Amino acid sequence: KPPTDEENPKSPPPAAKAAPKRKAANGPLRPGAVGLGSASSGLETKGLRVKGGTGRCLAGVAVVQDRAYWEIHVVEVGPEGFLFVGMAAQGPEDHMQQELGATPRSFGVQFGSGCLAPLRVGDVVGVSYDQAIFPVAVGVWLNGSALTIPMSRGLKGEQWPAIFVSDCAIDWALGEEHWKFADSRPEGFNALMASRGLIG
């Protein structure tokens, strides 16, 4: 006798769900000594996570030491997602809507389809800023490997670590407690410090 439906129930097939974005499962990083600063109105920020929308976000402090290093951890990428990493001066609100390099005293390196490198969930982008030399220099790493990038130009005066995100989400590892590729940074480059740390 074949089993009845009651004796051998069948589970309905799972409903197919669209997955427009690839995501990492972890929650946002917690800020340490330095957190996020000003951000475009088109972005969402929580802890050290920046999610677009589209626009710029600056770190909470300018680079006050000679050499600094930080990381960007990619946690979500949309179909058209891309990311700029680099530097920017404080400017008017409309600058926050523009890509790094599109305004004076800003510089950015772009990741995403058709750019310097594709943008994938789990990628770690390391950035260094050296103002002990002239002209100042920006360095960029992808998953621990140094990239060849254009020379940074126009970075005069006080500079803030900056990102520009579009249709993606990142965790900004400003403190070394969150770094994943600390060994790849050049010797003498350390985490961002607040200016009061130098004065006091």
Side-chain angles (χ1 to χ4, degrees):
K1 173 185 173 183
T4 64
D5 287 346
E6 289 76 13
E7 294 168 332
N8 187 19
K10 293 180 180 178
S11 302
K17 292 184 179 179
K21 296 185 180 182
R22 300 181 298 279
K23 297 184 179 183
N26 299 331
L29 300 179
R30 293 176 176 270
V34 176
L36 301 179
S38 56
S40 162
S41 58
L43 302 178
E44 299 175 29
T45 60
K46 180 180 181 181
L48 292 172
R49 181 158 295 178
V50 182
K51 183 176 182 179
T54 300
R56 284 186 193 181
C57 181
L58 306 184
V61 298
V63 179
V64 293
Q65 71 254 50
D66 286 342
R67 296 180 173 96
Y69 172 87
W70 55 92
E71 291 181 351
I72 294 96
H73 302 167
V74 181
V75 296
E76 185 175 314
V77 180
E80 304 297 325
F82 64 90
L83 165 73
F84 280 84
V85 302
M87 306 296 297
Q90 292 276 14
E93 171 60 28
D94 66 306
H95 283 193
M96 300 300 286
Q97 317 299 328
Q98 299 184 55
E99 298 172 354
L100 297 177
T103 57
R105 298 175 60 206
S106 72
F107 171 80
V109 175
Q110 186 175 2
F111 293 83
S113 178
C115 304
L116 179 67
L119 190 65
R120 299 185 178 98
V121 170
D123 279 346
V124 176
V125 180
V127 182
S128 67
Y129 185 62
D130 188 348
Q131 56 185 358
I133 60 175
F134 181 83
V136 298
V138 175
V140 178
W141 290 257
L142 179 61
N143 300 324
S145 298
L147 300 177
T148 301
I149 64 171
M151 180 180 289
S152 54
R153 299 181 186 278
L155 297 180
K156 300 175 182 178
E158 201 167 40
Q159 287 285 322
W160 273 256
I163 58 173
F164 180 96
V165 303
S166 180
D167 195 23
C168 64
I170 62 93
D171 277 335
W172 203 346
L174 295 166
E176 59 186 295
E177 67 273 16
H178 299 308
W179 293 348
K180 295 182 178 180
F181 285 93
D183 292 343
S184 69
R185 80 188 192 280
E187 186 176 350
F189 285 75
N190 298 301
L192 287 167
M193 59 176 70
S195 55
R196 64 176 179 274
L198 293 180
I199 297 168

